[in-house]
Amino acid sequence: MNRPVSPSSSLPRDAREHTAEAGVARLQDDARWRPAIGLGVATLLLAGAVYAGIATGFAGLTFPTQAEGSLLRDGSGQVRGSAWLAQPFTGDGYFQARPSAANYDPMAAAGSNLARSNPALAERVAASTAAVAAREGVAPAQVPADLVTQSGGGLDPQLSPAAAQLQVARVARARGLPVERVQALVQAHTEGRQWGLFGQPRVNVVTLNFALDHAAKAP
């Protein structure tokens, strides 16, 4: 009885050796790829899922307010803003934040990108200075620079204490509150240098206005 002949056995010896070497090379390539793929998958799971889950859970337990975005809620629990994002306030009864090139839109955070030598910047600052001076009833020279200049991201909620103090009389008059009470609120919301070393004293306009609304409702 004749035995079936495999296709490879009918090839010349050199061809069979070449075929065998190619098969070994494929196996070696597969062996080299497996650790790389395994490492990639493990890294994705550990860094993208496990670590993120642990960090998020730890932050939520230790800093629950900050982890949620430092949200400010009214008496009914309605979110009214974030302590870290400036927003526009209308009416003389509110402290005004710095101008925003992004129109206070968190999805479009940006500065004006105007150079100091740009005439358009000088014109805008001059117009803003005149408007603030008229609003607060002071001379243009008394207007602090941060009330008429934009922050780099357009969402900075802080002002210098001088810029906040300039607005105290207007806010107190509009709300019918004693000037001393409004000044006390400004002082309570004035933060010192970071760790006593970095930055400058500053006043968070968003939290200050939030406290003002609560003060107006208090007996």
Side-chain angles (χ1 to χ4, degrees):
M1 180 182 295
N2 293 329
R3 295 182 177 179
V5 178
S6 64
S8 60
S9 62
S10 63
L11 297 174
R13 180 177 179 181
D14 291 344
R16 291 199 302 271
E17 291 177 352
H18 177 73
T19 301
E21 290 175 355
V24 171
R26 282 196 298 271
L27 292 174
Q28 290 176 341
D29 287 341
D30 292 342
R32 283 194 295 266
W33 275 105
R34 288 194 194 99
I37 295 174
L39 179 62
V41 173
T43 302
L44 178 64
L45 292 176
L46 291 175
V50 177
Y51 171 77
I54 293 174
T56 301
F58 177 78
L61 290 174
T62 53
F63 306 100
T65 301
Q66 292 86 341
E68 290 184 357
S70 299
L71 301 178
L72 301 174
R73 302 177 186 272
D74 59 20
S76 62
Q78 185 74 22
V79 175
R80 294 301 182 186
S82 168
W84 295 110
L85 295 176
Q87 57 179 282
F89 293 95
T90 58
D92 287 339
Y94 288 100
F95 285 85
Q96 300 301 314
R98 298 181 66 176
S100 172
N103 198 29
Y104 305 101
D105 183 358
M107 301 303 293
S112 66
N113 293 326
L114 295 177
R116 295 182 64 181
S117 58
N118 194 315
L121 176 62
E123 292 175 5
R124 184 183 60 76
V125 170
S128 297
T129 300
V132 171
R135 184 186 71 201
E136 306 300 341
V138 299
Q142 296 177 269
V143 176
D146 53 323
L147 274 178
V148 296
T149 55
Q150 301 164 344
S151 63
L155 301 173
D156 190 348
Q158 284 97 7
L159 282 179
S160 65
Q165 285 294 336
L166 185 71
Q167 304 181 63
V168 167
R170 168 179 54 80
V171 172
R173 184 169 57 252
R175 288 181 176 266
L177 295 173
V179 170
E180 294 77 15
R181 187 174 183 184
V182 177
Q183 285 179 332
L185 285 172
V186 171
Q187 186 63 35
H189 288 81
T190 300
E191 307 169 28
R193 296 174 183 268
Q194 187 73 29
W195 302 312
L197 297 173
F198 304 108
Q200 298 293 329
R202 54 207 180 275
V203 180
N204 190 310
V205 177
V206 177
T207 58
L208 175 58
N209 283 332
F210 192 72
L212 270 171
D213 283 341
H214 281 274
K217 297 176 182 178

